[in-house]
Amino acid sequence: MGHIKLTNVAKSFGSVDVLHDISLEIADSEFVVFVGPSGCGKSTLLRMIAGLDRPSRGELTIDGKLVNNVPAADRGLAMVFQSYALYPHMSVRQNLAFGLENTKMPKAEIVERIAEAARMLEIEPYLERRPGQLSGGQRQRVAIGRAIVRRPVAFLLDEPLSNLDAELRGSTRAELAALHARLSATMIYVTHDQVEAMTLADRIVVLRAGRVEQVGTPLELYNSPANRFVAGFIGSPHMNFLDGTIESLGPSKAVVALTGGHRVEVPVDGTAAGARVTLGVRPQHISIGDKQGIPAEIKLVEALGSETVLHADVAGQKVLVVAPGQHDLMAGAGIHLSLSAAPLHIFNEQGLRLG
Amino acid sequence: MKADIPGKPGFNFGDAAMVPVRFAMELVDPPLRWLQRTAGLGGMATFFLLPNMLIFGIFVLLPFFINFAYSMTGGAALFLPDRNFVGADQYARLFDCSNYLDPNSCAEDTFWTAVGNTGWFVLLQVTLMIGVSLVTALILNRDLRARSFWRAVFFFPVLLSPVVVGLIWKWILQRQGLLNFGLYGLGFEPHAWLNDRNWSFAAAVGVSIWAHMGFYTLILLAGLQAIPKDLYEAAEMDGTKPTRVFLRITLPLLAPNLLVVIVLVLIRAVQIFDEVYVLTGGGPGTSTLFLTQYIYETGFAAQLRNPGLAAAASILMGAVLVVLTLLQLSLGRSSEKKGDRK
Amino acid sequence: MSRIAQFLFRRKGGRGWHWTDIVTWVWLVGGLFIMFGPAVWLVGSSFKSPAALAEFPPTILPYITQKVTVSGIDKPLDLYEVTLEGGKTVKLAEVRRVGVVSQMVDPSNPGEVIKVNISQRKPVREMSFASENYTGPFTHFDFVRYLWNSVFVTVVATLITLIVNSMAAFALSKYEFRGRTIAMLLILATLMVPLSVIMVPLYSIVSALGLFNSLWGVILPTVATPTGVFILRQYMLTIPDELIDAARMDKASEWQIYWRIILPLTAPALAVLAIFSVVWRWNDFLWPLIVLSRKELYTLQVGLSIYSGELNVQWHFILAMTVVTMIPVVLVFIFLQRFITTGIAGTGLK
Ligand SMILES: Nc1ncnc2c1ncn2[C@@H]1O[C@H](COP(=O)(O)OP(=O)(O)OP(=O)(O)O)[C@@H](O)[C@H]1O
Ligand SMILES: [Mg+2]
C-alpha cells in the first residue's frame, strides 16, 4: 500500500515546461524528501502526485494502478499544505471531520478517529477552536491531524514546517519522524531545509529546473554527489569548489594542479590529462596545516565557540573552512590549508562526478 | 498561551436555520457528483456559470441585439415576427427636421425636445453635482468631530427610492408646501413651482442633486482620504498657501476619482427618469420631458405607440452611453496604473 | 444638549476659529436641514388630517380645531376663542358662518346666538395625530397587496441574485477554462446596457415568456447583476486556492466546495451584495411600471406613483404610504449605513 511510480512524467503550464521527464519509484512506507532551489518544481511534482494537477505527459501509478485521470479525491492520498489550508470558518473538530463526512463514514467512527488523532498530536484541548485562535505550531498539528484521520496510503507534505520558528521546527521534525515510524505510511515531503532532508529522509530526490539531479539516501548524496549541483546543494556550509587541471594520470589516481600552482592527488579515472576539472571539498574536511599546505589569506573569522568558520582566499577563489574548536586567528593573516585527510570530489567541465 | 474558548453552546439559532439549507444542498450533491464525474472540472465550471449566463443572455444580451431589429420595423405590434420591416425609416423620422436648431421644425419634435432637455440637464447636473459634492467632500475631509455622522447626513437620500424622493419634493414644492410657507414668512407670494416651466426644470435638477450628491461625495471623500497626510505636512512646513495646496496637491491627486465621478454623473444624468417622472410627470408641457421618458412613452404609453421608434431612440441613447462607459473604463484603467506606479 | 453641542463643535486642534471653520459649520448644519428636513416634513405631514393638510400657512405639528357638542345641535361644533368688544376673550362654538360674520353660541348657554366678525375669532386647536392616514390605505387601496408584492420581489430577487451571482463568481475566480475572459468581459459589458436602452425588446421577451403581468417578470431580468458578480469575484480571488485543493484532497465535490467552503468564506461580500440588492429591488420603479399593468400586482413604488399622479390626489394617504415605503430603507440606513458607505468607497458602485 502506497507504492508510487512515475514514468517519464512531464508538466507544462501553457508553453512553459515546468517538469521534464521525471521517472521515480517510491516504495511503500518510504520517507522520500524532495529538495531543490525555489521554483524548481517540487510543489508541482507533489501536486501532480496528489491529483491536483494533471501530468502533461508520462504515467503515474499508485499501487500498480494508472491514476493519470483519477481525481484527487479518489487517489487515497492526504496532503499537508505549506499554508496549512485549514478551513477558517470551521472548528478544529470540523476541520478534521470534513474529509471523513465526505466519505459518508458512520458518525461514531468519525468521533473515534478524531479522538485518536487528537490524542496522538496532543491537540485535544483545542478541538472546539477555530484555526484563527491557534498558534502556528498548533495549526500545523491540526493540518497533520487532518491528514492522519483519513488513514491515507501516502502522505504528501509541502514544506509543512517552513512557517514555524527554528526551535519548534526542530521538535516537530522529531515528532514527524516518530509519526512516520508509527504509521509506517509512505510520506513524500518537500522542503528547502537541508537538516530536515538529511534527518527525515529514507531517500532524497534532488530537483533542479524541473529535472531530477540525483536520488539516493542522505549519506549517498553527501558522500558521493553525482554532480556539482548536488554537491553544492547538500551539506552546510556548502562545498568549496577549486578550479584545476589534470596534470598527470596514474592508475586510478590523478594529480590535479589547482589554480595558484598547488598540486593535489585524487583518486579518479575516466578522464584525460590536460582536462579542466573542479575539485570539491567540504569546509569541515579542510584543516589548517603546515607550510606544505595551500597558501591562503584569511578574510573573515567567525568564532562560534564550538567551531571557527574561516573565510579564506586561495588564489582569488573563496574557500570556507570549518575548524573545530577555537583558534586565535585574525583577518588578514596568511595560513596554509591542508587537504590531506579530506574526501575529495572531482567534477568535469560539465559538472559531472568523476570517479 | 491563549485562554481556552469554551465549547459550543447547546443550541444555536444560526445552526438550526441552516438545517433545511443543508438538507437541500446535500440533496443536490449526488447528481452534481455524477455530473462532475462525467463532465470533469470544466463541466462543473460551466454548470456554475450557466444560470447567471442564461438569465443574462435572455434578459440582457438578447434584447440588446434584437433592439437593432426592432428599430428597423414599424407598426404597433409587439412581437418581432408580426412587425413589418421598414429599414432605416425610424431613424429617418427621428432626424427629419427642416431646421436642426429648432426642435419644433422636426417631425418627431418631442424627441428633440427630450434631447434638448436632457442635454441641458446633463450640463447643469455635472457642473452643479461636482461642485456640491466636491465642497462637501472637502469639508468632510477636514479635522471634524463625528465625521461619520456628517457623512451619513449627506448620504441619507441616496438610499431613498426615486418615487419617494419625487413625492417628498412634490409635497414640498406644491402650492401649500413647505417652500411657499417659508417664502411667505419672508413676505413672498406663494408660487406653484411645479406648474412653472422654468422652475419645474430647476426643481428636476435640484432634486436629483439632492438625491445623489451623497454618493459622489463618498467617492470623492475616499479619494481625499487616500492622499498621504505627509504631503500636506510637507506643504505646511514650506509655508505653502492653502489655495496653492489645493491646486497643486489636492486637485491633481484627486483627479482620478474626480474623473470617475464626472463620467458616472454623466452616465446617470443621460438616463434620468424615475424621480423626475414622479415629481413633474415630464411637465408642465414638455418642459421636463427627458429621453428615457420619451422612450418609455413612445414604446408603451402613448396613444399611437411606436416601439420601433422607441427602439431607434434607445439605440442612439445607448451609443452615447457606450462611449461614456468606455471612457470610464479607460479612465479606471489608467488610474489603476498610476496606483501601481506609486 | 450643550454637551452634544460641545462635542460636535469642538475643534480637534483646539485652535481658534478661522473663516473656513464658519463655512464648514454653515455647510454642515445647512446640509443637516436640507438633507433630513424634507423627509421629516413628510413624516410630520403624514399625521395631519386632510383639513390640516389643505391649510396655508401650514403648521409644523399636526393640529385640529377642537370640537364641542352643544345641546340642541347634532353635529359637534368648532370651538373658537373670541375677543369681545370689551376686550374680554371667551370660548364660543360656531354654529354657522355667513360672509364675514360668524354666528356663535356659548356652549354653556346654547340659547343665545352671538354674532362675531371672523377677524375677531381664532380657532382653539389641539394636537392630534391622524392615524387613519395609515389605516385608511389598507381599506381604500390594496395597500397590503402592494406591500406584499414589494416584499416578495425584494426577497426573492435578492435570494436568486445571491445564489446565481455567487455561483458565477466562483466559476470565474476559481476555475481555469476556455472562454473565461470572454464571459467576464460580457458581464462587464452589461454595465453599458442599462434598462432604458433595452426596455422595448426586453418587454417583448418578457411577454413572449408569459411573464408580462407577473412578479417573476419583474424579478428575473434584474437578478444577473454584473456588479454582484464583480464584487463577489473580487472577494473570492482573495480566498487562497490551497483551501480548495485541501477540500479536493478531503474528497469534497465541487458543489460541496462551493457551498461549504466558498460561500461561508464569502459571507462579508454576500452581506454587502444582499444589502445593495434589497435597496435596489425595493426601489425599482421603471421596470415594474412597464411589466405590471394589473392593479393587484403593483409594487409599492408603482402604486404610489400611480395614485400620486391621479387628478385628485389623496395626499393624506399618499404621504402615509410614502412613509411606510421609506421605512425599510431608513432601517437599512440606520443599521447598515457603515457597511454600505465602505462598500461604495471600496468599489465605486451603487
Ligand atoms: N499554475 C501555474 N502556471 C504557470 N506556471 C506555474 C504554475 N504553477 C507553477 N508554475 C511555475 O512552475 C515552476 C515551479 O513551481 P513550483 O511551485 O513547483 O516551485 P517550488 O519548487 O515548489 O518552489 P518553492 O520552493 O518556492 O515552493 C515555477 O517557475 C512557477 O512559476
Ligand atoms: Mg512550493
Side-chain angles (χ1 to χ4, degrees), chain A residues 136-168:
Chain A
Q138 292 162 347
R139 275 182 228 177
Q140 205 273 338
R141 285 156 189 277
V142 176
I144 292 178
R146 190 170 62 179
I148 288 178
V149 291
R150 296 263 317 281
R151 307 222 172 123
V153 297
F155 288 85
L156 311 175
L157 304 101
D158 192 353
E159 307 197 27
L161 306 186
S162 65
N163 286 336
L164 302 182
D165 63 49
E167 196 178 330
L168 201 54

Short mmCIF file of all heavy atoms in Angstrom, two decimals, chain A residues 136-168:
data_model
loop_
_atom_site.label_atom_id
_atom_site.label_comp_id
_atom_site.label_asym_id
_atom_site.label_seq_id
_atom_site.Cartn_x
_atom_site.Cartn_y
_atom_site.Cartn_z
N GLY A 136 0.84 29.02 15.46
CA GLY A 136 1.33 28.38 14.25
C GLY A 136 1.59 26.89 14.44
O GLY A 136 1.20 26.07 13.62
N GLY A 137 2.22 26.56 15.55
CA GLY A 137 2.54 25.15 15.80
C GLY A 137 1.29 24.31 15.96
O GLY A 137 1.21 23.18 15.46
N GLN A 138 0.29 24.90 16.64
CA GLN A 138 -0.96 24.14 16.84
C GLN A 138 -1.67 23.93 15.50
O GLN A 138 -2.18 22.85 15.22
CB GLN A 138 -1.86 24.90 17.81
CG GLN A 138 -1.30 24.92 19.23
CD GLN A 138 -1.94 26.00 20.08
OE1 GLN A 138 -2.63 26.89 19.58
NE2 GLN A 138 -1.70 25.92 21.37
N ARG A 139 -1.65 24.97 14.68
CA ARG A 139 -2.27 24.84 13.36
C ARG A 139 -1.61 23.74 12.56
O ARG A 139 -2.26 22.96 11.88
CB ARG A 139 -2.11 26.14 12.58
CG ARG A 139 -3.18 27.12 12.90
CD ARG A 139 -2.99 28.36 12.07
NE ARG A 139 -3.09 29.49 12.95
CZ ARG A 139 -2.92 30.75 12.58
NH1 ARG A 139 -2.62 31.02 11.34
NH2 ARG A 139 -3.05 31.71 13.45
N GLN A 140 -0.28 23.72 12.67
CA GLN A 140 0.46 22.75 11.91
C GLN A 140 0.07 21.33 12.33
O GLN A 140 -0.11 20.46 11.49
CB GLN A 140 1.94 23.03 12.16
CG GLN A 140 2.84 22.57 11.08
CD GLN A 140 3.22 21.15 11.33
OE1 GLN A 140 3.13 20.68 12.46
NE2 GLN A 140 3.59 20.48 10.26
N ARG A 141 -0.12 21.14 13.64
CA ARG A 141 -0.55 19.82 14.11
C ARG A 141 -1.92 19.48 13.58
O ARG A 141 -2.20 18.34 13.22
CB ARG A 141 -0.64 19.80 15.63
CG ARG A 141 0.68 19.73 16.29
CD ARG A 141 0.56 20.30 17.69
NE ARG A 141 1.89 20.44 18.25
CZ ARG A 141 2.52 19.41 18.83
NH1 ARG A 141 1.91 18.26 18.95
NH2 ARG A 141 3.73 19.57 19.28
N VAL A 142 -2.80 20.48 13.57
CA VAL A 142 -4.16 20.21 13.07
C VAL A 142 -4.08 19.81 11.60
O VAL A 142 -4.77 18.88 11.16
CB VAL A 142 -5.06 21.45 13.24
CG1 VAL A 142 -6.42 21.20 12.63
CG2 VAL A 142 -5.19 21.80 14.71
N ALA A 143 -3.21 20.49 10.85
CA ALA A 143 -3.10 20.16 9.43
C ALA A 143 -2.63 18.72 9.27
O ALA A 143 -3.14 17.98 8.42
CB ALA A 143 -2.12 21.11 8.75
N ILE A 144 -1.69 18.31 10.12
CA ILE A 144 -1.24 16.92 10.05
C ILE A 144 -2.36 15.98 10.50
O ILE A 144 -2.61 14.94 9.90
CB ILE A 144 0.03 16.72 10.90
CG1 ILE A 144 1.18 17.49 10.25
CG2 ILE A 144 0.37 15.25 11.02
CD1 ILE A 144 2.47 17.41 11.02
N GLY A 145 -3.07 16.44 11.54
CA GLY A 145 -4.19 15.63 12.04
C GLY A 145 -5.23 15.39 10.96
O GLY A 145 -5.77 14.29 10.83
N ARG A 146 -5.49 16.43 10.19
CA ARG A 146 -6.49 16.29 9.14
C ARG A 146 -6.07 15.23 8.14
O ARG A 146 -6.91 14.53 7.56
CB ARG A 146 -6.67 17.64 8.44
CG ARG A 146 -7.85 17.67 7.52
CD ARG A 146 -8.15 19.06 7.05
NE ARG A 146 -7.03 19.62 6.29
CZ ARG A 146 -7.05 20.83 5.74
NH1 ARG A 146 -8.12 21.58 5.87
NH2 ARG A 146 -6.02 21.28 5.08
N ALA A 147 -4.77 15.10 7.94
CA ALA A 147 -4.30 14.06 7.04
C ALA A 147 -4.37 12.68 7.71
O ALA A 147 -4.79 11.71 7.09
CB ALA A 147 -2.87 14.36 6.59
N ILE A 148 -4.00 12.65 8.99
CA ILE A 148 -3.94 11.35 9.68
C ILE A 148 -5.29 10.67 9.77
O ILE A 148 -5.41 9.47 9.52
CB ILE A 148 -3.34 11.54 11.10
CG1 ILE A 148 -1.86 11.85 11.00
CG2 ILE A 148 -3.56 10.31 11.94
CD1 ILE A 148 -1.22 12.09 12.34
N VAL A 149 -6.33 11.45 10.11
CA VAL A 149 -7.63 10.81 10.32
C VAL A 149 -8.12 10.11 9.06
O VAL A 149 -8.93 9.18 9.12
CB VAL A 149 -8.72 11.81 10.78
CG1 VAL A 149 -8.46 12.29 12.17
CG2 VAL A 149 -8.85 12.96 9.80
N ARG A 150 -7.61 10.53 7.93
CA ARG A 150 -8.07 9.92 6.68
C ARG A 150 -7.46 8.54 6.47
O ARG A 150 -7.90 7.77 5.62
CB ARG A 150 -7.69 10.83 5.52
CG ARG A 150 -8.37 12.19 5.53
CD ARG A 150 -9.58 12.17 4.63
NE ARG A 150 -9.23 11.46 3.41
CZ ARG A 150 -8.56 12.00 2.42
NH1 ARG A 150 -8.21 13.25 2.49
NH2 ARG A 150 -8.24 11.29 1.35
N ARG A 151 -6.40 8.22 7.21
CA ARG A 151 -5.65 6.96 7.03
C ARG A 151 -5.31 6.75 5.56
O ARG A 151 -5.69 5.76 4.94
CB ARG A 151 -6.45 5.77 7.54
CG ARG A 151 -6.91 5.98 8.97
CD ARG A 151 -6.77 4.75 9.81
NE ARG A 151 -7.05 5.08 11.19
CZ ARG A 151 -7.98 4.48 11.92
NH1 ARG A 151 -8.71 3.51 11.40
NH2 ARG A 151 -8.16 4.83 13.17
N PRO A 152 -4.56 7.66 5.00
CA PRO A 152 -4.26 7.59 3.57
C PRO A 152 -3.18 6.57 3.28
O PRO A 152 -2.45 6.15 4.18
CB PRO A 152 -3.76 9.00 3.26
CG PRO A 152 -3.12 9.43 4.53
CD PRO A 152 -3.89 8.79 5.65
N VAL A 153 -3.06 6.17 2.01
CA VAL A 153 -1.98 5.24 1.65
C VAL A 153 -0.66 6.01 1.62
O VAL A 153 0.40 5.42 1.78
CB VAL A 153 -2.23 4.56 0.30
CG1 VAL A 153 -3.47 3.71 0.36
CG2 VAL A 153 -2.33 5.57 -0.83
N ALA A 154 -0.73 7.31 1.38
CA ALA A 154 0.51 8.10 1.41
C ALA A 154 0.20 9.51 1.85
O ALA A 154 -0.87 10.03 1.57
CB ALA A 154 1.16 8.10 0.04
N PHE A 155 1.17 10.09 2.57
CA PHE A 155 1.06 11.49 2.99
C PHE A 155 1.91 12.34 2.06
O PHE A 155 3.04 11.99 1.77
CB PHE A 155 1.60 11.67 4.40
CG PHE A 155 0.74 11.10 5.47
CD1 PHE A 155 0.84 9.76 5.82
CD2 PHE A 155 -0.17 11.90 6.15
CE1 PHE A 155 0.05 9.23 6.81
CE2 PHE A 155 -0.96 11.37 7.15
CZ PHE A 155 -0.86 10.03 7.48
N LEU A 156 1.36 13.45 1.63
CA LEU A 156 2.14 14.39 0.84
C LEU A 156 2.27 15.65 1.67
O LEU A 156 1.28 16.22 2.10
CB LEU A 156 1.42 14.70 -0.47
CG LEU A 156 0.93 13.48 -1.25
CD1 LEU A 156 0.14 13.92 -2.47
CD2 LEU A 156 2.10 12.61 -1.68
N LEU A 157 3.51 16.08 1.93
CA LEU A 157 3.70 17.25 2.78
C LEU A 157 4.53 18.29 2.04
O LEU A 157 5.65 18.02 1.63
CB LEU A 157 4.40 16.86 4.09
CG LEU A 157 3.71 15.76 4.90
CD1 LEU A 157 4.40 14.42 4.69
CD2 LEU A 157 3.69 16.10 6.37
N ASP A 158 3.94 19.46 1.85
CA ASP A 158 4.64 20.51 1.11
C ASP A 158 5.17 21.55 2.10
O ASP A 158 4.41 22.37 2.60
CB ASP A 158 3.69 21.16 0.10
CG ASP A 158 4.43 22.05 -0.88
OD1 ASP A 158 5.64 22.25 -0.68
OD2 ASP A 158 3.80 22.54 -1.83
N GLU A 159 6.45 21.50 2.38
CA GLU A 159 7.10 22.42 3.31
C GLU A 159 6.26 22.64 4.56
O GLU A 159 5.92 23.78 4.90
CB GLU A 159 7.36 23.76 2.63
CG GLU A 159 8.11 23.58 1.32
CD GLU A 159 8.72 24.87 0.82
OE1 GLU A 159 9.03 25.73 1.66
OE2 GLU A 159 8.90 25.00 -0.39
N PRO A 160 5.92 21.57 5.27
CA PRO A 160 4.98 21.73 6.38
C PRO A 160 5.56 22.51 7.55
O PRO A 160 4.82 23.03 8.37
CB PRO A 160 4.65 20.30 6.79
CG PRO A 160 5.84 19.51 6.36
CD PRO A 160 6.37 20.18 5.12
N LEU A 161 6.87 22.58 7.65
CA LEU A 161 7.46 23.23 8.83
C LEU A 161 7.98 24.62 8.54
O LEU A 161 8.50 25.29 9.42
CB LEU A 161 8.61 22.37 9.38
CG LEU A 161 8.28 20.91 9.67
CD1 LEU A 161 9.47 20.24 10.34
CD2 LEU A 161 7.05 20.79 10.55
N SER A 162 7.83 25.08 7.30
CA SER A 162 8.54 26.31 6.93
C SER A 162 7.97 27.54 7.61
O SER A 162 8.63 28.56 7.65
CB SER A 162 8.53 26.49 5.42
OG SER A 162 7.21 26.68 4.98
N ASN A 163 6.75 27.45 8.14
CA ASN A 163 6.20 28.63 8.81
C ASN A 163 6.43 28.63 10.32
O ASN A 163 5.86 29.44 11.03
CB ASN A 163 4.71 28.76 8.54
CG ASN A 163 4.44 29.25 7.13
OD1 ASN A 163 5.29 29.88 6.53
ND2 ASN A 163 3.28 28.93 6.61
N LEU A 164 7.24 27.68 10.80
CA LEU A 164 7.47 27.61 12.24
C LEU A 164 8.82 28.20 12.60
O LEU A 164 9.72 28.27 11.77
CB LEU A 164 7.44 26.14 12.69
CG LEU A 164 6.16 25.39 12.36
CD1 LEU A 164 6.25 23.96 12.89
CD2 LEU A 164 4.96 26.09 12.97
N ASP A 165 8.95 28.64 13.85
CA ASP A 165 10.26 29.16 14.23
C ASP A 165 11.24 28.01 14.46
O ASP A 165 10.85 26.85 14.56
CB ASP A 165 10.16 30.08 15.45
CG ASP A 165 9.68 29.35 16.67
OD1 ASP A 165 10.22 28.26 16.98
OD2 ASP A 165 8.73 29.84 17.33
N ALA A 166 12.52 28.35 14.52
CA ALA A 166 13.56 27.33 14.46
C ALA A 166 13.41 26.24 15.53
O ALA A 166 13.51 25.05 15.25
CB ALA A 166 14.93 27.99 14.59
N GLU A 167 13.08 26.67 16.74
CA GLU A 167 13.02 25.72 17.84
C GLU A 167 11.88 24.71 17.64
O GLU A 167 12.04 23.51 17.73
CB GLU A 167 12.82 26.49 19.14
CG GLU A 167 13.14 25.67 20.36
CD GLU A 167 12.98 26.51 21.62
OE1 GLU A 167 13.19 27.74 21.52
OE2 GLU A 167 12.60 25.95 22.64
N LEU A 168 10.71 25.29 17.29
CA LEU A 168 9.53 24.47 17.09
C LEU A 168 9.74 23.52 15.92
O LEU A 168 9.31 22.37 15.94
CB LEU A 168 8.34 25.39 16.82
CG LEU A 168 6.97 24.80 17.07
CD1 LEU A 168 6.88 24.25 18.47
CD2 LEU A 168 5.92 25.87 16.87
#
